[in-house]
Amino acid sequence: MAQKVTGFRAIFSSALIYNLAQRMVGAEKARHILVQDYFPAQNRYRMLDIGCGTAEILRHLPTAIDYHGFDASEAYIQQAVRLFGNRGTFRAELVREATLDELGSFDLVLAFGLLHHLGDDEAGMLFQLASHALAPGGKLLTIDPTYVAGQNSMAKWIISKDRGQCIRSPEHYSSLASQQFARVNTMIRHDMLRIPYSHCILECQNSDPQTL
C-alpha cells in the first residue's frame, strides 16, 4: 500500500484514535450521505466492505443486511468485532478471489477511502476483485479524496496531508475503474465533512441495475 505511517500519522494505527479523528472531521456525516444517496433502498442485501476499518458504516445500515467486512489492520477489526460483532462477519485479511468464491456474490461492494492508499496496479486488482464479487445488477461504490480545479485551498491542503499517497484526479480514478467496469458514474462532492474537503465517488456496474 502507498501510504505514510510515520510521524504524526502513526497514531492513526490505534483504532480508538482513528475513530476519534474521523468523528472530529465529520465522517459520520459522510457515511450518512453515502448510504442515503447511493446505497440500495431495500433492507435486505449482501454487502462486501473492502478496507472496512472499524466498520462504522454499520451504524447507518439496516440490521437485515448480510455484511462482510475485510481490513488489513488487526486492531481495526478487533474494534469492529467489539462494536458490531453480531451485525456481520469481520476478517483481518486482504480480500482474495479464493475467499470470494467461498462467500458467493454480493449486491454491493464498498471501498470507502481505500483507492488513494493503493498504487495503480493495486487499484486495478481491487476493481478486478470487486467485479468478480458482484452479483448481476450489483454495484461497486468507492469514495476517496481528490484534487479538482477550483477547489477550496484549505481542502487541497488538508487532503495533501492524508496518509494515502495516491490521491488522484476524478478522471484518473474513473479510468482505472473503466478497465474492469462497463459503466462508471463519477461524482464530485464538497459537502460530506464538517471541514473543507473534496471527494470523488465512483459508482461502477457491469450490467443494468436491478431493484434490490
Side-chain angles (χ1 to χ4, degrees), residues 162-192:
D162 197 283
R163 287 185 294 170
Q165 296 299 292
C166 295
I167 297 166
R168 302 170 172 92
S169 69
E171 294 78 14
H172 194 169
Y173 284 123
S174 180
S175 68
L176 291 171
S178 296
Q179 295 175 22
Q180 290 293 330
F181 287 91
R183 301 172 65 242
V184 179
N185 187 21
T186 306
M187 296 148 285
I188 310 304
R189 297 195 62 152
H190 307 282
D191 62 339
M192 298 189 75

Side-chain angles (χ1 to χ4, degrees), residues 32-91:
H32 174 77
I33 291 173
L34 193 70
V35 171
Q36 176 178 269
D37 292 355
Y38 304 104
F39 273 41
Q42 300 302 314
N43 290 332
R44 293 183 179 275
Y45 53 91
R46 301 197 76 223
M47 175 178 169
L48 173 64
D49 193 350
I50 303 176
C52 66
T54 57
E56 292 288 319
I57 193 75
L58 279 168
R59 298 188 188 278
H60 304 272
L61 298 179
T63 58
I65 73 163
D66 183 8
Y67 176 93
H68 296 258
F70 286 73
D71 199 279
S73 170
E74 181 72 36
Y76 287 2
I77 290 297
Q78 288 177 354
Q79 180 70 357
V81 171
R82 282 192 290 268
L83 294 173
F84 308 108
N86 63 338
R87 294 283 309 276
T89 299
F90 310 95
R91 299 170 71 159

Side-chain angles (χ1 to χ4, degrees), residues 70-119:
F70 286 73
D71 199 279
S73 170
E74 181 72 36
Y76 287 2
I77 290 297
Q78 288 177 354
Q79 180 70 357
V81 171
R82 282 192 290 268
L83 294 173
F84 308 108
N86 63 338
R87 294 283 309 276
T89 299
F90 310 95
R91 299 170 71 159
E93 61 184 84
L94 300 176
V95 180
R96 295 179 172 84
E97 284 194 11
T99 306
L100 295 176
D101 289 338
E102 296 173 4
L103 294 176
S105 58
F106 293 88
D107 304 300
L108 174 67
V109 176
L110 175 67
F112 193 116
L114 181 57
L115 286 176
H116 71 288
H117 292 274
L118 305 178

Side-chain angles (χ1 to χ4, degrees), residues 121-162:
D121 289 345
E122 293 173 305
M125 292 176 61
L126 184 143
F127 284 117
Q128 183 177 352
L129 285 169
S131 179
H132 181 79
L134 285 171
K139 68 180 177 181
L140 163 69
L141 281 175
T142 73
I143 175 170
D144 289 273
T146 190
Y147 294 126
V148 293
Q151 75 187 126
N152 184 290
S153 60
M154 181 60 70
K156 185 175 182 179
W157 181 84
I158 293 171
I159 289 169
S160 74
K161 304 304 178 184
D162 197 283

